[in-house]
Structures are given as C-alpha cells and as structure tokens.
Amino acid sequence: DAGVIQSPRHEVTEMGQEVTLRCKPISGHNSLFWYRQTMMRGLELLIYFNNNVPIDDSGMPEDRFSAKMPNASFSTLKIQPSEPRDSAVYFCASSLKRTYNEQFFGPGTRLTVL
Amino acid sequence: AQSVTQLDSHVSVSEGTPVLLRCNYSSSYSPSLFWYVQHPNKGLQLLLKYTSAATLVKGINGFEAEFKKSETSFHLTKPSAHMSDAAEYFCVVSPVGAGSYQLTFGKGTKLSVIP
C-alpha cells in the first residue's frame, strides 16, 4: 500500500516567491492534515480537512498561507509570498474519520526560503 | 487543555540494553496517548497508541508503553535496543471525542544507540 505521498521533498526558493506543496493522502482516508515542524515550535497543526472541507484552519499562521483540497486524493498548501521564517518541514497526514487521531504521516517537504 | 512533557531531550544507550523514554501528560479528561518515531529525513510513524483499553500497550518493533493514570505518565520501553532504533521519538496526547484530531506533540527525545 502506498502511504501518504508528498512533493516536492525539498524546495529552495527566494523570499517573495510563491511556493506550492502537494499531498496525496492514503486511498480511502477522508481526513487530511497539514503540519509544520520547526526546531523552535516543534510540530504544529496548520489545517484539518474532512471530506475535502476545511474544518479547522486556526493554525494557519497568516493570510500568506492557504490550503485547498479539490478532491479526496489531492491537497495543496500554498505560501504567497514566502518569507525566510517559513523555512520548516511541512508534513501532510491522513486518517479515517472514525479514528482521526491515528494519523499517517507523509515523508515531509523541507522548505528553505532564502 | 492538554500538554505533554518529554523529560529527556536526548537518551543514549548501548546496543542490547533496555530503552526508557519518559513522557508525562496533562489533560482535563481521559486522553488518548501515542508514541511516534521519526527517523532522519523521514515522516512520523505510529509506534503504539493507548485509547482506554489495556494500560500496557504493545507496539511495533518490540516497543511497549504503560499508561499510569496516578502518575500521569506514558513511558516508552524496549527490553533490548537495536541500532535501527536510533531516531527521534514523540509522545502525543489527544482528547477523546469531537476534538480528537488535535494532536499535541511533545518536543521529542532523540535516542542514540551505541554499538
């Protein structure tokens, strides 16, 4: 079984550029999560989707961040414009709704904003 | 509100010796508790979970954890460390019920295994 797939695995960009991170959840999972991991703050939940609908986006840092889930098998996290403080590892995770605290994580995207 | 404290940021053991990674939690209700492992440049993998059934929980790769409500602890153990166990381990708490998607992560314990 394929796990959660994320692309790209590494992204280096310059301040002010738009960055789009992509995620394919595990087939059949109807909950999807975006997390950010930094040394200072650890792992933080950015946004949670259920059945493609955003349920909790209280962790999205500011308007520069946006996330979409156009269908059950694809989600994007976009940062526009990017800033150096956005440098982090971004993880996507998915789960079944009935066990949505048992989350399966992708390998992450390491973002560096210069 | 809920929180997790991992008592050691770094633990070093010799191969073949026992592993103990300590975790204390704070929660205003009966929580679900998890341990995740993160190998370098990899995603997080679920090791085991406690959800109010048996207090001693067995996970993958020989790890287990015991839920002790009186001590608000959920320590992770393994009888004999293997080189492949070197990784970072996260203790995680979540509420039960509607908000249970909200995982609160500890800051992590980096486990080193000395040959």
Side-chain angles (χ1 to χ4, degrees):
Chain A
D1 279 344
V4 175
I5 298 172
Q6 291 186 246
S7 64
R9 293 294 310 277
H10 301 273
E11 177 80 34
V12 180
T13 191
E14 293 189 347
M15 183 174 63
Q17 296 298 306
E18 177 180 296
V19 175
T20 299
L21 311 182
R22 296 173 176 79
C23 175
K24 178 179 169 58
I26 293 172
S27 177
H29 283 191
N30 48 12
S31 294
L32 183 138
F33 310 84
W34 282 100
Y35 288 87
R36 179 171 66 176
Q37 184 181 36
T38 61
M39 290 292 292
M40 291 296 294
R41 300 173 67 92
L43 271 149
E44 305 172 279
L45 176 65
L46 300 178
I47 188 167
Y48 156 52
F49 289 89
N50 185 54
N51 290 330
N52 314 337
V53 176
I55 303 299
D56 182 355
D57 65 356
S58 59
M60 295 287 265
E62 49 198 273
D63 291 346
R64 296 185 298 107
F65 285 68
S66 62
K68 294 183 179 179
M69 192 165 186
N71 58 62
S73 59
F74 184 66
S75 177
T76 59
L77 178 67
K78 186 177 293 187
I79 308 172
Q80 166 64 15
S82 58
E83 296 182 2
R85 60 194 170 115
D86 302 330
S87 297
V89 181
Y90 291 83
F91 288 103
C92 177
S94 70
S95 72
L96 294 168
K97 183 176 187 297
R98 59 183 172 82
T99 55
Y100 54 8
N101 59 7
E102 187 174 337
Q103 298 173 15
F104 295 80
F105 284 75
T109 295
R110 182 174 295 276
L111 173 64
T112 303
V113 183
L114 303 174
Chain B
Q2 54 190 19
S3 66
V4 171
T5 302
Q6 292 185 242
L7 297 160
D8 306 292
S9 58
H10 192 193
V11 170
S12 185
V13 301
S14 296
E15 190 176 17
T17 64
V19 176
L20 170 64
L21 305 183
R22 299 182 294 166
C23 172
N24 286 109
Y25 70 92
S26 173
S27 178
S28 53
Y29 32 67
S30 293
S32 294
L33 292 158
F34 307 81
W35 277 96
Y36 280 83
V37 60
Q38 184 179 24
H39 287 93
N41 300 314
K42 301 283 188 183
L44 286 84
Q45 180 185 18
L46 180 64
L47 269 182
L48 50 80
K49 65 176 180 178
Y50 165 79
T51 54
S52 77
T55 56
L56 183 63
V57 182
K58 293 189 184 299
I60 61 172
N61 299 333
F63 284 94
E64 62 182 37
E66 186 171 8
F67 173 70
K68 292 187 177 181
K69 186 175 181 178
S70 61
E71 300 176 11
T72 61
S73 69
F74 190 57
H75 300 335
L76 181 70
T77 61
K78 182 173 180 178
S80 175
H82 190 273
M83 293 299 294
S84 61
D85 296 328
E88 189 154 22
Y89 292 79
F90 294 91
C91 184
V92 180
V93 62
S94 81
V96 176
S100 64
Y101 65 89
Q102 294 172 326
L103 305 185
T104 299
F105 287 80
K107 293 192 180 297
T109 298
K110 187 173 181 181
L111 175 65
S112 298
V113 181
I114 303 165

